[in-house]
Amino acid sequence: MMSGGNEKSVKALKEVWRRAENSLCADCGKPDPDWASSTLGVFICLSCSGIHRNIPSISKVKSLKMDHWDDAQVQFLAQHGNAVTNATYEAHIPIYYYQPTYNDCQVLREQWIRAKYERKEFTEPGKQLPYSDGVKEGILWKRGRDNGQFLPRKFLLSEREGSLKYFTKQDAKEPKVIIKIDVINATFQPVKIGNPNGLQITYLKDNKTRNIFVYHENGKEVVDWFNAIRSVQFHYLKVAFPIASDNELKSRLTRNFLKEGYMEKTGPKQKEAFKKRWFTLDHRRLMYFKDPLDAFAKGEVFVGSRENGYSVRKGLPSGTQGNFSWHYGLTIVTPDREYLFTCETETDQLDWIAAFTSVIDQPMIPQEYAIEAYFKVKS
């Protein structure tokens, strides 16, 4: 219920609010926003309104349902709204810049909102941005592979060399690791890492997945690193695939995992006891780890397409002998064998089945046949 204000201004506010352009949050795209900024003229969700509230010099937020809006404020909203305001503040977003949605973590959403309205990073063309010049150097706190301690490490990202390196000491001449830019994935993992700015960097080494877990105390700095990686990847792909469209290349930059969580699994004989493992589904790679923060997967399963003989079934084959403590089973069928898993709850089981189905329903691209062949040789 809208409070206060005369009937005319309440009616006018409702009309502006009902415009199609204002039906999604201006910043994260969440449906049915019920807050607005009286100084920027945008309609936003409750979560984004909390971030706006932390930038009071730029944005004053009010509830559309509970607060009083005077005639001048309603008129301002009517003249602006999401389309007009975003046409200014989102005019020149680099193609590679990651625009978060309401499903993304706090640090990504906060830095996006600050980049838009506070730093005005996208209002003019050709602006020099901290993640756009093809090189970035700095300190990130990295989790030690064996002791689990986070220690400061120097990282160097170079478009010219097409790599991300890290050094164990500030003045070290030789990097500890050189990672080629085309095998990197980066995804925010605040819960898993236990830090609001936690970033998981994954890369392939000898066709095996390796994880590095890092964070920076400063939210802007860690998001700048994330977008710098995407920028370097984008320019690398642009050279490697000159006829691909920008949107095609954008879809090949960093990606969130399709699903993660605990399941139990048994071995190939299907008589061994089921063991609890942490699983990560990264498109067609299903990896499992003893601990979510392990550097290397204990094993990986390739998930191909339906037309190539892959499928997922609810439940376990009758007569499964291995001991399991969780009772919501699922079976992945591949051309070579069946993989058996159990989930703790029915919701988990259905979520995993939906995630596997979304992968299996997609036809395989040529590069994926090469990965499948590698998995077959390995096993």
Side-chain angles (χ1 to χ4, degrees):
M1 176 62 216
M2 294 188 188
S3 69
N6 60 43
E7 218 171 295
K8 196 170 140 206
S9 67
V10 168
K11 190 177 168 213
L13 180 58
K14 272 187 181 164
E15 274 171 23
V16 186
W17 190 9
R18 272 204 292 260
R19 284 185 202 158
E21 55 160 302
N22 300 325
S23 64
L24 302 175
C25 171
D27 296 326
C28 74
K30 193 170 188 180
D32 307 317
D34 51 10
W35 287 74
S37 168
S38 61
T39 49
L40 293 168
V42 286
F43 290 75
I44 51 179
C45 69
L46 173 64
S47 182
C48 288
S49 78
I51 298 169
H52 278 249
R53 195 173 275 118
N54 289 333
I55 325 173
S57 58
I58 286 155
S59 189
K60 300 270 192 290
V61 292
K62 298 172 76 167
S63 165
L64 292 160
K65 290 181 175 174
M66 296 173 293
D67 291 329
H68 166 70
W69 290 78
D70 62 38
D71 290 347
Q73 289 170 332
V74 173
Q75 202 177 348
F76 182 80
L77 273 187
Q79 286 163 350
H80 290 78
N82 292 0
V84 168
T85 304
N86 278 345
T88 299
Y89 288 99
E90 297 184 7
H92 302 282
I93 302 171
I95 185 83
Y96 57 78
Y97 188 95
Y98 184 81
Q99 294 179 49
T101 71
Y102 54 91
N103 292 318
D104 281 301
C105 63
Q106 178 77 6
V107 69
L108 266 175
R109 288 184 296 110
E110 175 169 356
Q111 291 308 315
W112 160 237
I113 287 169
R114 286 184 180 274
K116 268 174 74 169
Y117 306 113
E118 186 179 42
R119 299 193 290 270
K120 297 189 175 71
E121 287 181 11
F122 317 120
T123 54
E124 54 195 73
K127 193 168 181 180
Q128 194 55 38
L129 298 165
Y131 37 80
S132 66
D133 52 10
V135 64
K136 187 160 174 60
E137 186 178 342
I139 299 293
L140 291 169
W141 289 79
K142 179 191 166 291
R143 187 178 191 271
R145 193 173 105 189
D146 303 317
N147 61 13
Q149 272 187 308
F150 281 89
L151 294 166
R153 294 287 179 255
K154 184 172 90 170
F155 280 77
L156 175 61
L157 176 71
S158 166
E159 186 180 308
R160 194 172 52 79
E161 295 178 24
S163 68
L164 175 68
K165 304 174 186 177
Y166 77 82
F167 302 78
T168 46
K169 293 198 167 63
Q170 277 288 87
D171 53 359
K173 298 279 177 282
E174 293 301 312
K176 172 84 186 285
V177 173
I178 301 174
I179 310 165
K180 287 181 68 202
I181 199 67
D182 57 332
V183 296
I184 290 181
N185 185 38
T187 176
F188 277 90
Q189 295 279 13
V191 177
K192 190 156 83 171
I193 293 172
N195 183 288
N197 303 336
L199 187 67
Q200 179 174 346
I201 296 172
T202 301
Y203 64 96
L204 290 178
K205 188 182 180 194
D206 306 326
N207 227 320
K208 279 204 187 96
T209 304
R210 163 86 160 96
N211 294 320
I212 295 178
F213 301 97
V214 298
Y215 72 84
H216 195 282
E217 294 98 331
N218 182 298
K220 177 185 182 298
E221 182 64 11
V222 80
V223 173
D224 283 352
W225 268 104
F226 177 66
N227 280 305
I229 289 169
R230 288 175 63 90
S231 165
V232 169
Q233 280 185 332
F234 180 77
H235 293 110
Y236 172 89
L237 290 170
K238 198 104 176 112
V239 175
F241 304 98
I243 58 170
S245 73
D246 281 0
N247 278 328
E248 246 177 293
L249 298 180
K250 184 182 179 178
S251 72
R252 296 181 58 179
L253 302 180
T254 59
R255 62 205 172 268
N256 294 326
F257 299 134
L258 294 177
K259 182 152 176 62
E260 287 197 288
Y262 285 107
M263 289 193 287
E264 294 180 329
K265 71 172 283 293
T266 186
K269 296 194 181 106
Q270 301 182 356
K271 292 178 180 170
E272 303 92 333
F274 280 69
K275 289 183 175 147
K276 183 179 168 187
R277 294 287 180 254
W278 176 267
F279 286 84
T280 296
L281 181 60
D282 184 9
H283 194 49
R284 294 203 185 274
R285 284 175 183 265
L286 176 67
M287 298 163 271
Y288 53 93
F289 305 84
K290 211 167 175 182
D291 180 274
L293 295 173
D294 282 347
F296 292 100
K298 283 191 79 65
E300 301 191 36
V301 178
F302 181 82
V303 183
S305 65
R306 199 172 300 284
E307 60 206 19
N308 290 85
Y310 292 81
S311 61
V312 57
R313 286 201 307 257
K314 193 174 178 179
L316 302 174
S318 59
T320 300
Q321 291 174 353
N323 289 337
F324 47 88
S325 51
W326 291 349
H327 296 281
Y328 298 92
L330 63 98
T331 303
I332 299 280
V333 180
T334 79
D336 304 313
R337 62 171 273 203
E338 292 184 348
Y339 292 87
L340 312 188
F341 307 104
T342 58
C343 303
E344 190 174 15
T345 66
E346 188 180 14
T347 306
D348 271 353
Q349 176 199 43
L350 296 175
D351 285 351
W352 275 110
I353 289 171
F356 286 126
T357 303
S358 74
V359 174
I360 289 166
D361 282 349
Q362 290 174 45
M364 276 161 63
I365 60 172
Q367 297 96 305
E368 290 169 345
Y369 283 97
I371 299 168
E372 182 188 41
Y374 167 79
F375 272 85
K376 280 191 160 82
V377 169
K378 197 178 68 164
S379 58

